[in-house]
Structures are given as structure tokens and as C-alpha cells.
Amino acid sequence: MPSDWIDLDARMLRGWALPEIAQEADKEVRGRVLVVAGSREIPGAALLAAVAALRAGAGKLVIATAQTVAAQLAFAVPEARVIALPETAQGSFAMQGLALLEGTAQGSDAALIGPGLMDEAGTCEFVGALLPLLAHVPVILDALAMNVAKDHAGFGQPLLLTPHAGEMAHLLGRGKDLVLGDPHAAVTEAARQWHAVVALKGSTTLIATPAGGRWCHDHGRPGLATSGSGDVLAGLVAGLAAQQVPLEQACAWGVVLHALASKRLARAHGPLGYLARELAGEVPLLVKRLQGRRVSPRKQPRE
Amino acid sequence: MPSDWIDLDARMLRGWALPEIAQEADKEVRGRVLVVAGSREIPGAALLAAVAALRAGAGKLVIATAQTVAAQLAFAVPEARVIALPETAQGSFAMQGLALLEGTAQGSDAALIGPGLMDEAGTCEFVGALLPLLAHVPVILDALAMNVAKDHAGFGQPLLLTPHAGEMAHLLGRGKDLVLGDPHAAVTEAARQWHAVVALKGSTTLIATPAGGRWCHDHGRPGLATSGSGDVLAGLVAGLAAQQVPLEQACAWGVVLHALASKRLARAHGPLGYLARELAGEVPLLVKRLQGRRVSPRKQPRE
Amino acid sequence: MPSDWIDLDARMLRGWALPEIAQEADKEVRGRVLVVAGSREIPGAALLAAVAALRAGAGKLVIATAQTVAAQLAFAVPEARVIALPETAQGSFAMQGLALLEGTAQGSDAALIGPGLMDEAGTCEFVGALLPLLAHVPVILDALAMNVAKDHAGFGQPLLLTPHAGEMAHLLGRGKDLVLGDPHAAVTEAARQWHAVVALKGSTTLIATPAGGRWCHDHGRPGLATSGSGDVLAGLVAGLAAQQVPLEQACAWGVVLHALASKRLARAHGPLGYLARELAGEVPLLVKRLQGRRVSPRKQPRE
Amino acid sequence: MPSDWIDLDARMLRGWALPEIAQEADKEVRGRVLVVAGSREIPGAALLAAVAALRAGAGKLVIATAQTVAAQLAFAVPEARVIALPETAQGSFAMQGLALLEGTAQGSDAALIGPGLMDEAGTCEFVGALLPLLAHVPVILDALAMNVAKDHAGFGQPLLLTPHAGEMAHLLGRGKDLVLGDPHAAVTEAARQWHAVVALKGSTTLIATPAGGRWCHDHGRPGLATSGSGDVLAGLVAGLAAQQVPLEQACAWGVVLHALASKRLARAHGPLGYLARELAGEVPLLVKRLQGRRVSPRKQPRE
């Protein structure tokens, strides 16, 4: 590992605390998160990401998803408001759905776009038009939604991209072998090129910012290499970002929490075979352990 | 806190016991609760509220909800009868659905109206027409359903309103800052104006009755400031009211049980990140602890 | 209690053992149960009853339910085959659905008809035509399906009716007060009149057979007086009957298991507020405790 | 038992280890599994099989199922991509759905076809046309999908058939009594005839390969003789096969894991009455116990 990459682990996060939440905080303080995710073929990704956002501590949750699956998603995440977006024949969101998101987008404290979307071309068009509605909101782009970067010289808003090596190769227009051969260079280049925080996911995950921040987490576990795992990670990051955590810190915390959650599941059940849906439930306890004082004391304690 | 507000906590409730349930009680004795809740965008609120009503001890449960989500709700709450109400284009209940509620409304021991409804204007019209069907039934109004109060000089039936500060401001037609600046005055005024029990929700919750009853609960927790939390509270109160508990007592117990449930979850998991769906499951044990003798002994004990 | 009624409790059941299941038993030996239950307004009753039948040990499960809810029921009970029956405008099963049940009915070892059905008239017509298809199968009639008895002088097949006092009054065409005033007489009369096993449910449950068998269970608990509780009881009885347990024994065991399950939940959670969906999960352990040797040893033990 | 059949149990598996997974493994390494399962009457079988495949350690999951149930299945297995296949009037998959599977089929590391399908004729036609798309992929055929063997002189690809005695009789065109009278001969003949691995399921399960491999497992339990149990077994085998485990080893491990899972549930709950949906959750821990070192150490351990 190049020496200027900061190693991410639990100890490191203890010195990089999340902002305290006031004892008197309401939902607004804990933040509103918008999750734009889930298509007719991969609707469960929206469920995984949205629950993870709540587990990470977001206060209010709105999900925008494909209308063919919206009602069912709403019962899978009964805490959510679910906006049903019209779909194209190919399964992406139709452009007329944008109007349904205007108010919610502007009132959000963070947005996650991408888990479980389908149809690259249609998704790129939709996401490209959605981003301006989120101009002042930290945005996490995941999965197919990242491809919007290919049409962008660089983003003018706070943005996080979360590719794995194959997706990074596709974004940079080069072979996956080249990315794997020098992942530090690839993630650094991507961060600079798109003026975005970029996390290159894998058993080793690298995070780079356009300003030169560099973190490395090499405690990944094979049990995390399971369907839906990335959706949970994206949701955790979005939930933290909604609480005013800067994107690079939200990403670093998300990556470590995700890995620690998998460590707990591996100990309880075995190294392989736990499910992505089980990860987020471990997170509240992990946050508490990493940061004993997440909630600031009431001014006049009563109880 | 003004000195004439009674502090609500577990100790206080021990001296304000719920009515005993006879060992021989059947479902009728435990009460029938009608939950009118859930729209196509926020159907999960009906699930959260309905389960909370059962957890609080109601004996029979009928839910009336939007027809687009009724079947799915019925499997999320398999104990319920679910009446599917026709919807307007805006997502509120269409007026012709009232006829479907007549028999059930009159046979109910308590009704909760509001969680997860959408479209303020349509909801006001529907709720305004539904209230007369519930003339002799204690009614809890929550969320958008409360706005019916704006058209009322005062209610002629036992009623509870459960606004948070923003909703209270909207109801009283003044700024949220003014409500937060003197919440005691706001809730007192609202109770008097609408001749209703009013609970002003927040990290401190105030309850006032038109007859001058005043209770204050300031043990709220930031973990409760999460999507769906208010739906659970409303359901708990409705479930208690169905058991012949007066509305102000049902409200006081509901607020304390809700907070104690969050305290248990916070201890088990961490201060943030538990989900609203997890709250109600804690309630039966909490009721048992607060009131050891909820069930009166069988006349001739056998077992 | 009249002295010729046998008191039902755990001790009594220990002397009235269920048939042993061979170590080598397959699903056929454990029995096929058909559950005809669930309408568009009360579909969850089918879920509660069907799972209870499996928990009681039935080997194979087929559910016939309203087509508007069939797909969702199938995911709520993923072990089941689910036959979707066409519905009338009033919500009962349309007569043309009978043809879909012919093969399954004849291959069943027990059938439960009734939980969650709606529309008395249509249900009576459908059930009246379904019974001849089940001529040699023990049948449990519950809820609205029992009303078919009103058109019958007496049944020519092994049958169990499970009314509570209100339903018994309706069946006998007299006031509920009269039933409650002398329940022993009512259940005895009903058993004789319809030539069926009859269980009059309540905090005290009485079981009578046409041949004069009489059992009394007065260990009911108010926590059992909750929505969906009767659906679970009916499912437990059907699951036992599918294993070649005679109807009166299946009913007696079902009533005791149901009450013991509620006792366990009451101890764990509190006397009120557990849900009907939680009852059946307690049953396998209870059966094991009541009858240590449910499975006969393998002829040549290996493990 | 003939002396040349190898007894399958936990001890035997300890000497027949699964391949190690590298600490740095990604989802591709853990394998892609395609599950073609679930019809409108038995959709839950797809859920049971798919989750079992993940529990056994497969990395990526695609399910192809009947379009009438696809969206609901996707929420029951939120980790999956779900392809909705058009259906015939009889409930099998329509031939035009094949085109939807081409890409996925060729990218799979293992495929399971059969759980919960309906309509034998239509299913045979569809499966017969699907197999060539999976020419180089190990395939498990279960339930109705096995009947494709009746039209085959022998398969040219790695294949596993999993009949119980009744299905075996149907495949071989002889009486079930003849199969039960000499099951060793039947399974050996079937393996030779179809050039496939064959598992004859029952309280004793026999596995034979065309090359003469022979294993016997006689530790089945009556609690496994329950609806959906076979779907879980099929899913476990497919999940192992996706990890490059040869079909006969995957089958042997699946059979033993399935029985050990039932043993754990029987101890915890009782010998009868646990549900098929509960089996797979036991598997990760069992694999860990059978093979302590499933994951090879990181080259440079860090944590």
C-alpha cells in the first residue's frame, strides 16, 4: 500500500467522530434521505439500501421506485413514504417521473441513486436530469446510476461514486485488469476527473477525494461478497450523509461499519452464507461501540 | 415547566392504573379498534399503527385503507380484517367509501384516523364525513386527518389530536416558532378551542384536555425521532382507548410506553438506528411491569 | 361443572397420546391437509390457520383461497401449494371453483374450511357443495362455514364445528344469553343435532361428541381473546387430524396446545398484547413436552 | 445396505472438504447461481430454494419465475435479481421466455430447475429447450423438471436428478413398490441410463453417479418430511455447485447439511413441526463446524 493512504479501521474511526445528535433532536435534525432505487427486476435492492439508511440513523426516509413494485416495497419498509415512478419498456424510470421528485429532492439532506436500477441508457438519461434537482444535496451514485459520469466532465455538486473494479473499468473505459493492476491510481484518477469522492470497492476498498484525501480499508471478508451487499453499503453511507456527515467521512464510516457487521455475522453463523439483509441490523450497536457519545446529554437530565 | 403540569413517567403511571381485564374476558371485552390509515404512498403507516393497537391489548382489529394496498396490508397484519376503500386521483379516500365503514364504525370501541393518509383537501372532506359515523366512539386524529379541525369550531365527541410542533402551527394558523416559543400555551389553547384532548408531540410532549388537565413528558429520545414513530404512538393510544381507557389516560400511557420502548431498544442496540416497527413489540412487557395486575384473577382459580 | 365432563389439561393429554410417527415416515404418512380459507377482506386468517397446521405436524399443505389474495398468501406460506378460487362480487368463492378442488379434496387426509371467509349466503352454498367432495375426509368447519349446518339435519361424515357463544346462538337460532346460561346443554344438543363433534369456544371451552363424549377446558386466558386466535386453533386441529388423530382427540389437543402456547407467551411478554401469529411457533416444543415419544425409534438406529 | 455403498455422515464429509474460498474472493469467485423455479400455484418453492442457495454460499443469485409472482418473490428474496417469465394458460413457462434467459444462463456457474413448477407437459418442453443454453453449466433438475429425462436417452452435460421414490417410479415407468423394493438398483440404473448423478430421496437417501460412485445416507428424520423440504435441499446443492463443487459432492454435502439442520431444529423445537423455511438458516454454522477452514487466510493478515 502506498504510504500516503490512511488505513481505515475501528481505531481510526474513534478519532474521526460523527457529529453528536442533541437529546432533543427531531426527525429534521437527524436528516431526510431520498433513496432512488429498485426496478422491476431488482426491487429488493431498494429495500436493502433504504433500511440501511434508517439503521445508520437517518430520521426521515422517502423512496422513489418503479411503480410496478412500489406498493410491495412500502410494506417491506413500512417506515417509508414511497413514490411510484413510471417506467419505460426497458425498465428504467420514464422522464415524466422527474416532476414527482421535485419537492422531495429539494427537501432532502442526502440522496442515494442507483441500487437495483436496470437499463443503462435510460437510467443515465433519468439520473442526468435528476442531479440538477439535487444541486445542493450530497448525492451517492451507485450501480448503473454511476454511468452518468461518462457524460460528465466533472460534477458541480458534492458526489460520491461507489464502483467495484468492473464498474470502474467501464467508467474509465479501460480493462478491468488495468484497474486491478493499479487500483490506487485508478481511484485517484477517477476522483480527480469527476471531481467526486470515489470508493473503489473490493476485499480492499480505496477511497479518494478530489482534494487528495486517500483512505484504504483492507479488512473485507468473503462473506460480504454476496448479492445485495453493495446496496447495504450504499444505504449506510446515505444515512450518515443525511446527518450532515461529509461524504468522505460517511463513506469511510460506511465501509468500516459494513465490514464490522459482516465480522459479527461471520462469528455468529460462519464465514459464508449470511445474507445481505442481515447486515444493517448490526449497525446501531457498532456505531455505539465506535462512538460512545453519539447523543449529547439533555441540558437538564431528568431520567 | 409551569408548576401546574403533571410530570409523566413510569412512577406516575403506576398510580394511574389501567382498568383490569377479567380472566374470562373475550375479544369484545378487550375492545374493537378501527384503524383508518394508509394511502398508496404511505401504506406502511397503517401496518405500524394497527400492530401497535394489538400490542396495546385491543381485542379485535379492523383496518380501512386504500384499495391499491389493502391486500398487501392484510398479509402484513394477518390478524386484521381489512376494508379496501376506493381512492381519488390524488390518493385520498373517495367519499363513496364511507358506506363501507358504517357498520364497522358503529360497532367500534375506538377509532384511529390518519396515519399515512395523503392529499390534505380530500382527506379533510372524508374525515369530516366519517366523524359523525363515530359519534359515540373515542377517536384519535393523527397526521393529515387532524386538519379537519380547521373547519370545526369544536368537536362534539371524545377526540384526541396528536400534532407535532409543525402540525400544531398549521392547525393554529401561526408560525412554528411561536408554537415552540410557548408550547404550553399552544396546547392549552388548542384543547380549549377544539374541545379535544391534544398531545403536542416532541422530545417533550405536552397533553392538555378541555377541562384543564395538563401533563408533561420530557423523556423523549432522539432514537424516537424516526420515520413511522408517530404511527406507532397513535396505534398504542387507540389500542388502549378500545379497552375503555379514557382518552387522556390512553394518551398519557401511550406516550410513556412509547418512550420506554425506545429506551429498551436504545439499550439493546444503540441510541439511534432502531426502527419504528420494533417499538410495539416491547409494549406488552412494559405494561406488565408498570401494572403487575392487569388481569383480574379467575373466580375459581384452576391452574 | 357437571361431573360427567372430563377436565382437559396437560396431565390428561399425557394419558391420551397422539399416534407415534415412524422414524422413516414420509410426507404422506404425516398427512395432507387442505385449508379452504381467506377472502379478500380477511386473507390473513388463511395464513394463520395454514401455518398452525404445519406446526401441528401435518406433512403436506394445500391452501385454497380467494384469487385476489392467492399469490401473496403463497409467499406468506412458502411451503404451500395455493389454489386460487374465483370470487363472487360479495367476496365468497364462486361455485365454478369447486372443480379446481376435486382432486385435492379427495387426496386429503383432513380439511379445514372457514377461517377468514366472507359473505354468509355464498359461503354456505359453496361449502354445502364442497362437503360431498370430502365425504371420507375429517372436516373442521370454522367461522362462516359453520352456517352450512343450518341447512343440514345432520352430517354423514366426520365433522367438527368450532363456534364461540355468539356463533352457537346463531346456529341454534336462539339468544346468546341462553347459550351462555347453559353452555353444557347447548354444546351437547348441537353435537347430537348435527351428528358432529362440537367445540364451544370461550375462556371455558366445551367439547361434545354425538356419542356422548364430553370434555371441558377452563384454562383459557384473556390474551387468547385476540384477533386471529381462533384461526390458529382451527389450524392446529386440522394439522393433527391430518395425522390420523380422531377429531375429538385432535380438538382436545388443539385446545390445550393453544392455551399452553398462550401461557408461554404471557410469561415471556405479558398477559395481553401477544399476537395470534406468535402462537403456533410454540406448539412443536409443547407437543414434545406433552409426549416425549412422538417419533418411534428407527429399527436399526445409526446416529 | 450393499457393502459397496459409502455411508454419508458428518465424519465422512470432514474428509471430503469443500474447496477453500480465498479471503479476497469476490462474488464471481463464490459463483453465480440461476434458479428457475416457482409457478403461480407454488411460488414459495422458489423462495425456499433461492435462499438455500445463498445460505450454502453462492455469491450471486438470479431467479427466473412466473411473471404473476415475480415482483412478490423479489421482495421475499431482496438479494436477488428476478426475471419474470411469461406463462402458459396451464401455468408452465411459455417458450418465448427462453430468450430472456440466454445471457444469464451462459453466465451462470450452476443452475437449479424445477422447484414449484406446474404442468408437466409444458414444463418438459420448456426445460428441454433450456438445457442446451446451459450446456457447460452443472444443472440440478428437481420436481416436474426431471420429467425431461423421459425424452432423453442420456444427458450430455453435468446433471443431477433428485427424485423421491414416487418420482423415480414415474421416471422409470414402473411401480413405486418396485422402486422401494430395491432402491439401490433403481438409483444405479437411473444414473447409468441418463448419464447423470441421481439422488433417490427419502428417510434413506441414495446417490449414484454414472461412473459408479455410490453413497448412502440413512439419517433422515420425519421432521424433514414436510412441505417445501425438498426445495431447500435442491437449493443447497445448487449453491454449492455454483462454488465449483462437483455435483456428486455438492449433492452429498447438501443431503447431510439438510439432515443436520433438521436435527438442530428438532432439538430446539421438537421432532415435528418445524418449517422448511427454517432449515437453511442453520447451514452456515453447520458448514463452519464441518469444515473449520472454509476460507483461506489472507496473504498478509491485518486484523
Side-chain angles (χ1 to χ4, degrees), chain C residues 153-177:
Chain C
F155 294 100
Q157 63 195 114
L159 212 85
L160 168 67
L161 303 173
T162 58
H164 53 58
E167 290 167 331
M168 180 66 98
H170 185 59
L171 288 177
L172 291 174
R174 68 186 62 154
K176 184 175 169 184
D177 283 355

Side-chain angles (χ1 to χ4, degrees), chain B residues 23-27 30 54-55 59-61 71-72 74-75 78-79 81-82 284-285 288 294-295 298 302-303, chain C residues 7 41 43-44 47 69 72-73 203 218-220 222-223 225-227 267 269-270 272-278:
Chain B
Q23 184 75 37
E24 297 81 3
D26 64 11
K27 291 181 211 179
R30 287 180 52 187
L54 288 177
R55 290 293 190 192
K60 295 193 76 168
L61 171 66
Q72 293 174 85
F75 286 105
E79 294 84 1
R81 178 174 163 225
V82 177
L285 189 59
K288 183 185 180 185
R294 183 75 214 287
V295 174
R298 188 180 283 269
R302 299 284 311 246
E303 210 166 7
Chain C
D7 192 27
E41 284 202 352
L47 160 57
V69 297
Q72 292 174 86
L73 180 57
S203 75
D218 59 0
H219 308 283
T226 187
S227 281
R267 281 190 183 159
H269 300 297
L272 300 184
Y274 45 86
L275 304 183
R277 71 185 81 162
E278 297 168 325

Side-chain angles (χ1 to χ4, degrees), chain C residues 23-27 30 54-55 59-61 71-72 74-75 78-79 81-82 284-285 288 294-295 298 302-303, chain D residues 7 41 43-44 47 69 72-73 203 218-220 222-223 225-227 267 269-270 272-278:
Chain C
Q23 184 76 36
E24 297 81 4
D26 64 9
K27 291 181 211 179
R30 286 181 52 186
L54 288 176
R55 290 292 189 192
K60 294 193 76 168
L61 171 65
Q72 292 174 86
F75 286 104
E79 294 84 2
R81 177 173 164 227
V82 177
L285 189 60
K288 183 186 179 185
R294 183 75 212 288
V295 175
R298 188 179 284 268
R302 298 286 310 249
E303 209 167 7
Chain D
D7 193 29
E41 284 202 352
L47 159 58
V69 297
Q72 292 173 87
L73 179 57
S203 74
D218 60 0
H219 307 282
T226 187
S227 282
R267 282 193 183 156
H269 301 297
L272 299 183
Y274 44 87
L275 304 183
R277 70 184 82 161
E278 297 168 325

Side-chain angles (χ1 to χ4, degrees), chain D residues 103-120:
Chain D
T104 302
Q106 286 163 25
S108 296
D109 296 297
L112 165 62
I113 311 173
L117 300 187
M118 61 189 284
D119 179 28
E120 180 173 335

Side-chain angles (χ1 to χ4, degrees), chain A residues 16 18 160 236-238 240-241 245-255:
Chain A
W16 197 9
L18 300 174
L160 168 67
L236 293 176
V237 176
L240 291 167
V245 181
L247 275 178
E248 63 269 25
Q249 186 183 9
C251 183
W253 271 78
V255 167

Side-chain angles (χ1 to χ4, degrees), chain C residues 85-87 93-100 126:
Chain C
L85 296 177
E87 299 159 70
F93 298 141
M95 297 305 287
Q96 70 263 35
L98 277 175
L100 301 174
F126 187 88

